[in-house]
Every structure is written in structure tokens, then in C-alpha cells.
Amino acid sequence: MRIHYIIFVSIIFLSFVHCKKKSQISDFESGNSPYLLDSIWKDQNGKETKLKDFSGKYVLMSMFYSSCDSLCPRIVSDIKKLDSKIPKSKLKETIVVLISLDEEKDSTEKMKAYAQKMELDESRWMLLSGNKDSIRELSAVLEIDYKKMENGEISHSAVVSLLSKKGEILAKEKGIGGEFAEILKKLE
């Protein structure tokens, strides 16, 4: 009976130690960082980049597609409002990265036109396109669900993530019209 008690206490102790260690692991170490993805993306100016190239900056990241008439303009509008609330001390070290969900239609030219139409400051806003597999992989890391519909539209969730300078996901805002309190708190 005593041996069963010792085994039981040992299992409980080891479970607690394991849980504590796991919670101390960062997104980067756990493999849940977009910077660990090896995919190559092309921006609205035709320049190729990898997500890890954004190391050293805070990154507001979301997914969109340029022909979207409903949700995507609202996501961009929300990010612009959030961007206007970022403390000036952090603004120079913060960029916005929007990744296209539509690899077939979102060419460099279309994304450039979208950036101009939405009046995005291209010195701080990057619009990226990639291949189907890269998009699917990144959407999983960012927890953005999407599905291409038969009519050409893309049904997708609205998520804005804040990445640390090391690529760790620091905070997320799901939905539209939010206050971004958690993201702003991390940028204080």
C-alpha cells in the first residue's frame, strides 16, 4: 500500500513540474512562431522576403485578400485605428504585415493598388503573397480559419496578432471593432 502512495505522489509531482516547464516555453521555442516557417513571400513591391526578416521589430500581423469587399477593409480600418494608438516611442519599431489568403488573384500589382486605395503607409505596412501551402501553414500558426468558396470569395476569421521582436505571439485580437487593449498593453 505504501508503494502505491509513493508512486501516486511521484506522478502528481512530475505532472506539476512538467506543466510548469511547458508554460515557461515561448511560442518560438514551442514551434508556434511564424518566424520558424521557411516560406518565401513577395511584397507589394515585388521584393521576396521570409517572415523571420522582420526580427527586431514588433509586428502587427493579419490575413486578408485584396478583392474582399466586406471583412478585409474593416480589418485594415481596425489596424489603422490601433496603429494610431501605439505609443510614439514604439511606433518606429512596429510594422504592419498583411498576408494575402488569395494566392491566385493577389499579384504584386493588385496588392500595390490595394495599399494605395487603402492609403497605407508603405514604409511601415507590408502586404505579402505566397503559395497555397505557405498560406495554409501560416494561417494555422496565427489561428486564422479560412475557406475558398465556389463564387471566388474567401470566408475567413478576423484575427490580428502582435509578434515580439523575436517572433513570439504576444497578443491577439479576434473579431472586428475591438479595442485592442491587450495588444496596446504589450506595446506600452
Side-chain angles (χ1 to χ4, degrees):
M1 180 75 162
R2 182 169 164 92
I3 191 78
H4 293 291
Y5 177 75
I6 291 171
I7 292 172
F8 175 75
V9 170
S10 297
I11 290 172
I12 297 297
F13 176 75
L14 290 174
S15 296
F16 175 74
V17 170
H18 175 71
C19 288
K20 183 159 178 66
K21 285 183 181 177
K22 187 174 182 179
S23 69
Q24 293 172 344
I25 295 174
S26 70
D27 283 333
F28 189 81
E29 294 167 327
S30 70
N32 196 28
S33 167
Y35 291 3
L36 293 176
L37 304 178
D38 203 33
S39 47
I40 297 175
W41 303 86
K42 192 176 279 190
D43 73 13
Q44 72 268 26
N45 296 309
K47 180 183 172 194
E48 289 188 350
T49 189
K50 290 186 175 189
L51 298 177
K52 66 182 175 185
D53 294 341
F54 302 129
S55 294
K57 298 261 187 197
Y58 291 103
V59 177
L60 294 170
M61 187 175 283
S62 191
M63 299 184 88
F64 83 114
Y65 65 106
S66 68
S67 60
C68 174
D69 291 328
S70 56
L71 186 59
C72 299
R74 293 185 72 188
I75 292 171
V76 171
S77 177
D78 282 355
I79 296 173
K80 286 171 93 172
K81 287 178 189 171
L82 167 62
D83 197 45
S84 72
K85 295 178 182 178
I86 295 173
K88 288 186 180 188
S89 62
K90 298 284 185 182
L91 199 57
K92 288 185 179 182
E93 48 189 331
T94 306
I95 61 171
V96 179
V97 178
L98 297 176
I99 290 96
S100 172
L101 292 164
D102 194 345
E103 78 283 353
E104 295 170 6
K105 295 179 186 173
D106 278 342
S107 64
T108 299
E109 297 78 19
K110 284 209 175 178
M111 290 193 307
K112 182 76 169 176
Y114 186 83
Q116 292 169 347
K117 174 183 155 187
M118 299 301 288
E119 300 177 356
L120 305 179
D121 176 359
E122 292 187 59
S123 68
R124 294 191 47 252
W125 286 66
M126 299 193 71
L127 283 63
L128 304 179
S129 64
N131 65 45
K132 183 179 180 180
D133 292 335
S134 298
I135 294 166
R136 179 65 61 195
E137 190 175 37
L138 179 60
S139 72
V141 171
L142 296 177
E143 298 179 0
I144 295 176
D145 298 320
Y146 74 97
K147 180 180 180 180
K148 291 191 177 190
M149 310 304 280
E150 287 185 25
N151 66 0
E153 296 291 314
I154 301 173
S155 175
H156 64 95
S157 53
V159 179
V160 177
S161 299
L162 171 65
L163 307 182
S164 74
K165 292 180 179 186
K166 295 178 182 179
E168 301 161 323
I169 298 173
L170 296 175
K172 289 183 185 183
E173 179 83 23
K174 296 182 179 185
I176 52 176
E179 295 297 318
F180 296 99
E182 186 181 351
I183 289 175
L184 288 168
K185 184 176 180 181
K186 297 286 184 181
L187 286 170
E188 287 179 345

Short mmCIF file of all heavy atoms in Angstrom, two decimals, residues 128-176:
data_model
loop_
_atom_site.label_atom_id
_atom_site.label_comp_id
_atom_site.label_asym_id
_atom_site.label_seq_id
_atom_site.Cartn_x
_atom_site.Cartn_y
_atom_site.Cartn_z
N LEU A 128 1.89 40.89 -48.21
CA LEU A 128 2.64 39.75 -48.72
C LEU A 128 1.73 38.72 -49.38
O LEU A 128 0.61 38.50 -48.94
CB LEU A 128 3.39 39.05 -47.58
CG LEU A 128 4.36 39.89 -46.75
CD1 LEU A 128 4.99 39.03 -45.67
CD2 LEU A 128 5.43 40.52 -47.62
N SER A 129 2.26 38.08 -50.42
CA SER A 129 1.57 36.95 -51.04
C SER A 129 2.54 35.78 -51.08
O SER A 129 3.76 35.96 -51.14
CB SER A 129 1.08 37.30 -52.44
OG SER A 129 2.18 37.57 -53.29
N GLY A 130 1.97 34.59 -51.04
CA GLY A 130 2.80 33.38 -51.07
C GLY A 130 2.06 32.27 -51.78
O GLY A 130 1.00 32.49 -52.38
N ASN A 131 2.58 31.07 -51.67
CA ASN A 131 1.90 29.94 -52.31
C ASN A 131 0.86 29.34 -51.36
O ASN A 131 0.81 29.67 -50.18
CB ASN A 131 2.90 28.90 -52.80
CG ASN A 131 3.66 28.23 -51.67
OD1 ASN A 131 3.09 27.84 -50.66
ND2 ASN A 131 4.97 28.10 -51.84
N LYS A 132 0.05 28.47 -51.92
CA LYS A 132 -1.08 27.87 -51.19
C LYS A 132 -0.64 27.20 -49.89
O LYS A 132 -1.26 27.38 -48.84
CB LYS A 132 -1.77 26.87 -52.12
CG LYS A 132 -2.99 26.22 -51.57
CD LYS A 132 -3.58 25.27 -52.61
CE LYS A 132 -4.82 24.58 -52.10
NZ LYS A 132 -5.39 23.68 -53.10
N ASP A 133 0.44 26.42 -49.94
CA ASP A 133 0.91 25.71 -48.75
C ASP A 133 1.42 26.66 -47.68
O ASP A 133 1.18 26.46 -46.49
CB ASP A 133 2.00 24.69 -49.12
CG ASP A 133 1.46 23.54 -49.96
OD1 ASP A 133 0.24 23.25 -49.89
OD2 ASP A 133 2.25 22.93 -50.70
N SER A 134 2.14 27.69 -48.09
CA SER A 134 2.66 28.68 -47.13
C SER A 134 1.52 29.41 -46.43
O SER A 134 1.57 29.66 -45.23
CB SER A 134 3.55 29.70 -47.84
OG SER A 134 4.66 29.05 -48.42
N ILE A 135 0.49 29.76 -47.20
CA ILE A 135 -0.67 30.45 -46.64
C ILE A 135 -1.38 29.56 -45.63
O ILE A 135 -1.71 30.01 -44.52
CB ILE A 135 -1.63 30.89 -47.77
CG1 ILE A 135 -0.96 31.96 -48.64
CG2 ILE A 135 -2.96 31.39 -47.19
CD1 ILE A 135 -1.66 32.22 -49.95
N ARG A 136 -1.58 28.31 -45.97
CA ARG A 136 -2.26 27.37 -45.07
C ARG A 136 -1.46 27.18 -43.78
O ARG A 136 -1.99 27.19 -42.69
CB ARG A 136 -2.47 26.03 -45.79
CG ARG A 136 -3.14 24.96 -44.97
CD ARG A 136 -4.56 25.26 -44.58
NE ARG A 136 -5.43 25.43 -45.72
CZ ARG A 136 -6.65 25.96 -45.64
NH1 ARG A 136 -7.14 26.34 -44.48
NH2 ARG A 136 -7.40 26.12 -46.70
N GLU A 137 -0.15 27.04 -43.92
CA GLU A 137 0.73 26.84 -42.76
C GLU A 137 0.70 28.05 -41.83
O GLU A 137 0.56 27.92 -40.62
CB GLU A 137 2.15 26.57 -43.26
CG GLU A 137 3.12 26.11 -42.22
CD GLU A 137 4.48 25.76 -42.83
OE1 GLU A 137 4.94 26.44 -43.78
OE2 GLU A 137 5.07 24.79 -42.35
N LEU A 138 0.80 29.24 -42.41
CA LEU A 138 0.79 30.46 -41.59
C LEU A 138 -0.57 30.67 -40.94
O LEU A 138 -0.65 31.06 -39.77
CB LEU A 138 1.17 31.68 -42.42
CG LEU A 138 1.17 33.00 -41.66
CD1 LEU A 138 2.15 32.98 -40.50
CD2 LEU A 138 1.49 34.15 -42.62
N SER A 139 -1.64 30.40 -41.67
CA SER A 139 -2.98 30.59 -41.08
C SER A 139 -3.16 29.69 -39.87
O SER A 139 -3.82 30.07 -38.90
CB SER A 139 -4.07 30.34 -42.12
OG SER A 139 -4.19 28.97 -42.44
N ALA A 140 -2.58 28.50 -39.90
CA ALA A 140 -2.67 27.58 -38.75
C ALA A 140 -1.93 28.16 -37.54
O ALA A 140 -2.43 28.13 -36.42
CB ALA A 140 -2.13 26.21 -39.11
N VAL A 141 -0.74 28.71 -37.77
CA VAL A 141 0.04 29.29 -36.67
C VAL A 141 -0.68 30.50 -36.08
O VAL A 141 -0.70 30.68 -34.86
CB VAL A 141 1.46 29.68 -37.16
CG1 VAL A 141 2.21 30.48 -36.10
CG2 VAL A 141 2.26 28.44 -37.55
N LEU A 142 -1.30 31.32 -36.94
CA LEU A 142 -1.99 32.52 -36.47
C LEU A 142 -3.42 32.24 -36.00
O LEU A 142 -4.10 33.14 -35.54
CB LEU A 142 -2.02 33.58 -37.58
CG LEU A 142 -0.67 34.13 -38.03
CD1 LEU A 142 -0.86 35.10 -39.19
CD2 LEU A 142 0.07 34.79 -36.88
N GLU A 143 -3.86 30.99 -36.15
CA GLU A 143 -5.22 30.58 -35.78
C GLU A 143 -6.28 31.36 -36.56
O GLU A 143 -7.26 31.84 -36.02
CB GLU A 143 -5.44 30.72 -34.27
CG GLU A 143 -4.52 29.83 -33.45
CD GLU A 143 -4.71 29.98 -31.95
OE1 GLU A 143 -5.56 30.78 -31.51
OE2 GLU A 143 -3.98 29.29 -31.23
N ILE A 144 -6.04 31.46 -37.86
CA ILE A 144 -6.99 32.10 -38.77
C ILE A 144 -7.59 31.02 -39.65
O ILE A 144 -6.88 30.35 -40.41
CB ILE A 144 -6.31 33.20 -39.62
CG1 ILE A 144 -5.82 34.32 -38.71
CG2 ILE A 144 -7.26 33.72 -40.69
CD1 ILE A 144 -5.04 35.41 -39.41
N ASP A 145 -8.90 30.84 -39.52
CA ASP A 145 -9.62 29.86 -40.33
C ASP A 145 -10.06 30.51 -41.62
O ASP A 145 -10.49 31.67 -41.63
CB ASP A 145 -10.84 29.34 -39.58
CG ASP A 145 -10.48 28.63 -38.29
OD1 ASP A 145 -9.48 27.89 -38.28
OD2 ASP A 145 -11.18 28.83 -37.29
N TYR A 146 -9.96 29.77 -42.73
CA TYR A 146 -10.47 30.29 -43.98
C TYR A 146 -10.87 29.15 -44.91
O TYR A 146 -10.42 28.03 -44.77
CB TYR A 146 -9.44 31.21 -44.66
CG TYR A 146 -8.27 30.51 -45.31
CD1 TYR A 146 -8.27 30.23 -46.66
CD2 TYR A 146 -7.16 30.14 -44.56
CE1 TYR A 146 -7.20 29.60 -47.27
CE2 TYR A 146 -6.08 29.52 -45.15
CZ TYR A 146 -6.10 29.25 -46.50
OH TYR A 146 -5.03 28.62 -47.09
N LYS A 147 -11.75 29.51 -45.85
CA LYS A 147 -12.21 28.55 -46.84
C LYS A 147 -12.56 29.30 -48.11
O LYS A 147 -13.30 30.29 -48.07
CB LYS A 147 -13.44 27.79 -46.33
CG LYS A 147 -13.97 26.78 -47.31
CD LYS A 147 -15.18 26.06 -46.78
CE LYS A 147 -15.66 25.07 -47.83
NZ LYS A 147 -16.82 24.33 -47.41
N LYS A 148 -12.04 28.81 -49.23
CA LYS A 148 -12.39 29.41 -50.51
C LYS A 148 -13.75 28.90 -50.93
O LYS A 148 -14.01 27.70 -50.92
CB LYS A 148 -11.33 29.08 -51.57
CG LYS A 148 -10.02 29.78 -51.28
CD LYS A 148 -9.07 29.69 -52.43
CE LYS A 148 -7.81 30.48 -52.08
NZ LYS A 148 -6.93 30.65 -53.20
N MET A 149 -14.62 29.83 -51.29
CA MET A 149 -15.98 29.49 -51.69
C MET A 149 -16.05 29.32 -53.21
O MET A 149 -15.17 29.80 -53.94
CB MET A 149 -16.93 30.60 -51.24
CG MET A 149 -16.79 31.00 -49.77
SD MET A 149 -16.96 29.66 -48.61
CE MET A 149 -18.73 29.56 -48.56
N GLU A 150 -17.09 28.69 -53.69
CA GLU A 150 -17.25 28.45 -55.12
C GLU A 150 -17.37 29.74 -55.92
O GLU A 150 -16.98 29.81 -57.09
CB GLU A 150 -18.47 27.56 -55.37
CG GLU A 150 -18.23 26.12 -54.97
CD GLU A 150 -19.40 25.22 -55.32
OE1 GLU A 150 -20.16 25.54 -56.25
OE2 GLU A 150 -19.54 24.18 -54.65
N ASN A 151 -17.90 30.80 -55.30
CA ASN A 151 -18.09 32.07 -56.00
C ASN A 151 -16.81 32.92 -56.05
O ASN A 151 -16.83 34.05 -56.53
CB ASN A 151 -19.23 32.87 -55.36
CG ASN A 151 -18.92 33.32 -53.94
OD1 ASN A 151 -17.84 33.05 -53.40
ND2 ASN A 151 -19.88 34.00 -53.33
N GLY A 152 -15.69 32.40 -55.53
CA GLY A 152 -14.42 33.13 -55.56
C GLY A 152 -14.12 33.90 -54.28
O GLY A 152 -13.00 34.33 -54.07
N GLU A 153 -15.13 34.09 -53.46
CA GLU A 153 -14.92 34.76 -52.18
C GLU A 153 -14.17 33.82 -51.23
O GLU A 153 -14.16 32.61 -51.43
CB GLU A 153 -16.26 35.17 -51.55
CG GLU A 153 -17.04 36.20 -52.35
CD GLU A 153 -16.38 37.56 -52.34
OE1 GLU A 153 -15.96 38.03 -51.26
OE2 GLU A 153 -16.28 38.16 -53.44
N ILE A 154 -13.60 34.39 -50.19
CA ILE A 154 -12.91 33.60 -49.18
C ILE A 154 -13.54 33.93 -47.83
O ILE A 154 -13.51 35.09 -47.38
CB ILE A 154 -11.40 33.89 -49.15
CG1 ILE A 154 -10.78 33.58 -50.52
CG2 ILE A 154 -10.72 33.08 -48.04
CD1 ILE A 154 -9.33 33.98 -50.66
N SER A 155 -14.12 32.94 -47.21
CA SER A 155 -14.68 33.10 -45.88
C SER A 155 -13.54 32.92 -44.89
O SER A 155 -12.82 31.91 -44.94
CB SER A 155 -15.77 32.05 -45.65
OG SER A 155 -16.23 32.11 -44.33
N HIS A 156 -13.34 33.90 -44.00
CA HIS A 156 -12.20 33.82 -43.08
C HIS A 156 -12.48 34.55 -41.77
O HIS A 156 -13.34 35.42 -41.70
CB HIS A 156 -10.92 34.37 -43.72
CG HIS A 156 -10.99 35.83 -44.06
ND1 HIS A 156 -10.52 36.80 -43.22
CD2 HIS A 156 -11.47 36.47 -45.15
CE1 HIS A 156 -10.69 37.98 -43.79
NE2 HIS A 156 -11.28 37.81 -44.96
N SER A 157 -11.73 34.16 -40.77
CA SER A 157 -11.85 34.81 -39.47
C SER A 157 -10.99 36.08 -39.45
O SER A 157 -10.09 36.24 -40.26
CB SER A 157 -11.44 33.86 -38.34
OG SER A 157 -10.16 33.32 -38.58
N ALA A 158 -11.33 36.96 -38.53
CA ALA A 158 -10.59 38.21 -38.37
C ALA A 158 -9.75 38.11 -37.10
O ALA A 158 -10.28 38.11 -36.00
CB ALA A 158 -11.57 39.38 -38.27
N VAL A 159 -8.44 38.02 -37.29
CA VAL A 159 -7.52 37.93 -36.16
C VAL A 159 -6.34 38.84 -36.44
O VAL A 159 -5.75 38.80 -37.52
CB VAL A 159 -7.00 36.49 -35.95
CG1 VAL A 159 -6.03 36.42 -34.78
CG2 VAL A 159 -8.15 35.51 -35.74
N VAL A 160 -6.01 39.67 -35.46
CA VAL A 160 -4.80 40.50 -35.53
C VAL A 160 -3.89 40.03 -34.41
O VAL A 160 -4.29 39.97 -33.25
CB VAL A 160 -5.12 42.00 -35.36
CG1 VAL A 160 -3.83 42.82 -35.38
CG2 VAL A 160 -6.08 42.48 -36.44
N SER A 161 -2.66 39.67 -34.78
CA SER A 161 -1.68 39.19 -33.81
C SER A 161 -0.56 40.19 -33.66
O SER A 161 -0.15 40.83 -34.64
CB SER A 161 -1.07 37.86 -34.27
OG SER A 161 -2.05 36.87 -34.38
N LEU A 162 -0.06 40.33 -32.44
CA LEU A 162 1.14 41.13 -32.18
C LEU A 162 2.29 40.16 -31.95
O LEU A 162 2.21 39.30 -31.07
CB LEU A 162 0.96 42.01 -30.95
CG LEU A 162 2.23 42.73 -30.46
CD1 LEU A 162 2.72 43.74 -31.50
CD2 LEU A 162 1.98 43.40 -29.12
N LEU A 163 3.34 40.30 -32.75
CA LEU A 163 4.53 39.48 -32.60
C LEU A 163 5.63 40.30 -31.93
O LEU A 163 5.80 41.49 -32.22
CB LEU A 163 5.05 39.00 -33.96
CG LEU A 163 4.06 38.29 -34.88
CD1 LEU A 163 4.77 37.84 -36.14
CD2 LEU A 163 3.40 37.13 -34.19
N SER A 164 6.37 39.64 -31.04
CA SER A 164 7.50 40.30 -30.39
C SER A 164 8.63 40.47 -31.40
O SER A 164 8.57 39.97 -32.52
CB SER A 164 8.00 39.45 -29.22
OG SER A 164 8.70 38.30 -29.69
N LYS A 165 9.67 41.14 -30.97
CA LYS A 165 10.84 41.34 -31.83
C LYS A 165 11.52 40.01 -32.18
O LYS A 165 12.28 39.94 -33.12
CB LYS A 165 11.82 42.28 -31.16
CG LYS A 165 11.30 43.70 -31.04
CD LYS A 165 12.32 44.59 -30.37
CE LYS A 165 11.82 46.02 -30.27
NZ LYS A 165 12.85 46.91 -29.74
N LYS A 166 11.21 38.98 -31.41
CA LYS A 166 11.77 37.65 -31.66
C LYS A 166 10.79 36.74 -32.41
O LYS A 166 11.09 35.59 -32.67
CB LYS A 166 12.14 36.98 -30.34
CG LYS A 166 13.25 37.67 -29.60
CD LYS A 166 13.52 36.96 -28.29
CE LYS A 166 14.59 37.66 -27.49
NZ LYS A 166 14.82 36.97 -26.20
N GLY A 167 9.59 37.24 -32.69
CA GLY A 167 8.61 36.45 -33.43
C GLY A 167 7.63 35.68 -32.56
O GLY A 167 6.87 34.87 -33.06
N GLU A 168 7.64 35.94 -31.27
CA GLU A 168 6.68 35.28 -30.37
C GLU A 168 5.33 35.99 -30.47
O GLU A 168 5.28 37.22 -30.59
CB GLU A 168 7.17 35.35 -28.93
CG GLU A 168 8.52 34.71 -28.73
CD GLU A 168 9.21 35.15 -27.45
OE1 GLU A 168 9.10 36.33 -27.09
OE2 GLU A 168 9.87 34.32 -26.83
N ILE A 169 4.27 35.23 -30.42
CA ILE A 169 2.94 35.83 -30.44
C ILE A 169 2.65 36.34 -29.03
O ILE A 169 2.50 35.56 -28.09
CB ILE A 169 1.87 34.82 -30.91
CG1 ILE A 169 2.18 34.37 -32.34
CG2 ILE A 169 0.47 35.44 -30.82
CD1 ILE A 169 1.30 33.25 -32.86
N LEU A 170 2.62 37.66 -28.89
CA LEU A 170 2.42 38.29 -27.58
C LEU A 170 0.95 38.47 -27.23
O LEU A 170 0.58 38.39 -26.07
CB LEU A 170 3.10 39.67 -27.53
CG LEU A 170 4.61 39.69 -27.67
CD1 LEU A 170 5.11 41.14 -27.72
CD2 LEU A 170 5.26 38.94 -26.51
N ALA A 171 0.13 38.76 -28.24
CA ALA A 171 -1.30 39.02 -28.00
C ALA A 171 -2.06 38.87 -29.31
O ALA A 171 -1.48 38.98 -30.39
CB ALA A 171 -1.49 40.43 -27.43
N LYS A 172 -3.37 38.63 -29.17
CA LYS A 172 -4.25 38.51 -30.33
C LYS A 172 -5.56 39.23 -30.05
O LYS A 172 -6.02 39.26 -28.92
CB LYS A 172 -4.59 37.04 -30.61
CG LYS A 172 -3.48 36.23 -31.15
CD LYS A 172 -3.95 34.83 -31.44
CE LYS A 172 -2.75 34.00 -31.86
NZ LYS A 172 -3.12 32.67 -32.22
N GLU A 173 -6.14 39.77 -31.10
CA GLU A 173 -7.48 40.34 -31.04
C GLU A 173 -8.29 39.61 -32.10
O GLU A 173 -7.92 39.61 -33.29
CB GLU A 173 -7.44 41.84 -31.34
CG GLU A 173 -8.79 42.51 -31.33
CD GLU A 173 -9.27 42.90 -29.93
OE1 GLU A 173 -8.43 43.07 -29.03
OE2 GLU A 173 -10.48 43.06 -29.76
N LYS A 174 -9.36 38.98 -31.66
CA LYS A 174 -10.23 38.25 -32.59
C LYS A 174 -11.51 39.04 -32.81
O LYS A 174 -12.05 39.61 -31.87
CB LYS A 174 -10.54 36.86 -32.05
CG LYS A 174 -9.30 35.99 -31.94
CD LYS A 174 -9.60 34.60 -31.45
CE LYS A 174 -8.31 33.79 -31.40
NZ LYS A 174 -8.52 32.40 -31.04
N GLY A 175 -11.96 39.08 -34.06
CA GLY A 175 -13.17 39.82 -34.39
C GLY A 175 -12.85 41.21 -34.88
O GLY A 175 -11.69 41.59 -35.00
N ILE A 176 -13.90 41.96 -35.19
CA ILE A 176 -13.71 43.33 -35.68
C ILE A 176 -14.31 44.32 -34.70
O ILE A 176 -15.16 43.99 -33.89
CB ILE A 176 -14.31 43.51 -37.09
CG1 ILE A 176 -15.75 43.03 -37.12
CG2 ILE A 176 -13.48 42.79 -38.13
CD1 ILE A 176 -16.46 43.27 -38.43
#
